[in-house]
């Protein structure tokens, strides 16, 4: 059920800093048993307004946390190995990189918006490197790699398809197993690249590349985190990336990490995604620390609205993956589970999910013996085909 979001990009753009910041739990979350599984696989949190305020209740979250009426929902974040030019040819950690990238449902491409790192990630004078090139490079590298997989053995395979009259989309989906790409996406990409009418034996390398380019767009969406946005040189580049039509979110991973550490020390009050912080124990910080926080306020929060880290995560899940949140409860009047916990769990489901499907997600028994659901907000009965809405509180009645 869980979705996978991976951080990618060339070395030195701030992927690890982003990962550390996003997975460093703030005080009220730290006491929960959300553990980091591996050095590069961790738990990050989505932030969403909780329904507790709207319903006028005090909740006891179990699978997530609620702080000042904001729900923080755990999700898995992966820090992938750095990408270097020629990765698709197997350079550096190239192939391992691409194989790992392919398991992600969404990629967060971290770029150095300040233009302070060259194509391989070596530090250069800020403003030198054009981050647009990094964006194009990653897309190209990934497409070349996919093309390599499909094009390999194509003459033999296409002949075989012709002889056996096998469905092209089926064969291609099989060839691309492990890349978390579905049959429908393959079918749609063949259509969109205008190759439907062309026999596989007539596909040229260029056709396969175009097919892969479209398939990449469909199956592997990329969210661009324009990092190091705290640097002056980033502003112009961010404007240019937006002008070029890219959906970019300015971030300062470093600022987010500093703020979370200060929060953990009890120096400030701050929730990830906030547009400002409040100093609690300023007297215990030295002059340098206070100046550092003030710089973050001026160069990041006041300028961009937030550090952007939370925004990137929320965007990847809610906008790109199109997930919504629903609150399953046992008791539709009190909004509780069996043990009396109010609004205990949040489920992330795809837009368009039915209540019956939700029942299956909770427990196969609940799905199989489903009788009807209750929309706890309206107390109305709902049938199995009811399409869940964002923020729904749902009770399921079953014969189980
Ligand atoms: N100015 C600035 N520097 C950053 C930011 N994020 C990371 N860095 C710095 O960039 C360098 C590389 O960061 P790292 O996270 O190791 O990059 P990775 O190789 O992509 O994982 C380090 O010196 C970080 O301190 C940021 O938001 N702003
Ligand atoms: Mg790193």
């Amino acid at each position: 059920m869980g979705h996978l979001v991976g951080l990618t990009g060339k070395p030195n753009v701030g992927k690890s800093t982003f990962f550390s910041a996003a997975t460093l739990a703030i005080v009220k979350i730290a006491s929960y048993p959300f553990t980091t599984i591996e050095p590069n696989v961790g738990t990050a949190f989505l932030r969403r307004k909780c329904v507790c305020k709207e319903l006028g209740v005090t909740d006891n979250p179990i699978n997530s946390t609620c702080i000042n009426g904001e729900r923080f929902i755990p999700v898995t974040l992966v820090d992938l190995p750095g990408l270097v030019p020629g990765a698709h040819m197997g350079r550096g950690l190239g192939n391992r990189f691409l194989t790992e990238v392919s398991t992600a449902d969404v990629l967060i491409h971290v770029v150095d918006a300040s233009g302070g790192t060259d194509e391989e990630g070596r530090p250069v004078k800020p403003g030198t490197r054009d981050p647009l090139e990094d964006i194009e490079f990653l897309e190209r590298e990934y497409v070349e790699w996919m093309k390599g997989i499909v094009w390999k053995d194509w003459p033999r395979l296409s002949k075989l398809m012709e002889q056996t009259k096998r469905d092209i989309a089926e064969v291609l989906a099989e060839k691309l197993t492990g890349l978390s790409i579905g049959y429908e996406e393959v079918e749609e990409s063949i259509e969109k690249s205008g190759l439907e009418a062309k026999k596989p034996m007539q596909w040229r390398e260029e056709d396969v590349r175009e097919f892969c380019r479209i398939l990449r767009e469909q199956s592997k969406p990329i969210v661009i985190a324009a990092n190091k946005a705290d640097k002056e040189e980033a502003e112009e580049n961010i404007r240019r990336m937006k002008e070029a039509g890219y959906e970019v979110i300015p971030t300062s991973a470093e600022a987010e990490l500093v703020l979370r550490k200060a929060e953990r020390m009890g120096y400030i009050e701050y929730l990830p995604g906030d547009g400002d912080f409040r100093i609690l124990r300023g007297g215990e910080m030295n002059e340098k620390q206070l100046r550092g926080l003030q710089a973050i306020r001026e160069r990041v929060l006041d300028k961009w609205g937030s550090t952007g880290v939370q925004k990137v995560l929320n965007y990847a899940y809610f906008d790109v993956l199109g997930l919504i949140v629903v609150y399953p409860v046992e008791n539709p009047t009190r909004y509780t589970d069996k043990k009396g916990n109010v609004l205990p769990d949040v489920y992330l489901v795809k837009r368009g999910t039915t209540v019956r499907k939700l029942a299956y997600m909770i427990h196969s028994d609940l799905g199989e013996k489903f009788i009807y659901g209750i929309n706890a907000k309206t107390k109305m009965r709902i049938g199995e085909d009811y399409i869940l809405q964002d923020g729904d509180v749902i009770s399921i009645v079953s014969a189980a």
Side-chain angles (χ1 to χ4, degrees), residues 58 104 144 215 224 228 256 265 277 292 319 379 384 394:
T58 305
E144 278 310 307
L215 185 60
I224 297 156
K228 307 195 185 180
E256 179 70 14
M265 295 294 290
F277 57 84
D319 297 83
K379 314 294 180 222
E384 61 175 351
I394 301 286

Side-chain angles (χ1 to χ4, degrees), residues 1 32-34 43-45 60-66 71-75 326-328 337 341-348:
M1 180 187 89
Y32 281 71
F34 300 118
T43 302
F45 294 83
N60 322 87
I62 306 289
N63 83 346
S64 42
T65 56
C66 185
R71 261 301 157 130
F72 286 86
I73 309 154
V75 290
V326 293
Y327 300 72
D337 63 8
N341 296 304
V342 178
L343 298 171
D345 296 334
V346 173
Y347 275 59
L348 289 168

Side-chain angles (χ1 to χ4, degrees), residues 204-216:
R204 298 278 155 262
E205 191 169 359
E206 204 38 57
D207 295 324
V208 173
R209 181 177 287 119
E210 178 61 8
F211 159 73
C212 288
R213 200 185 59 72
I214 291 167
L215 185 60
R216 200 287 303 160

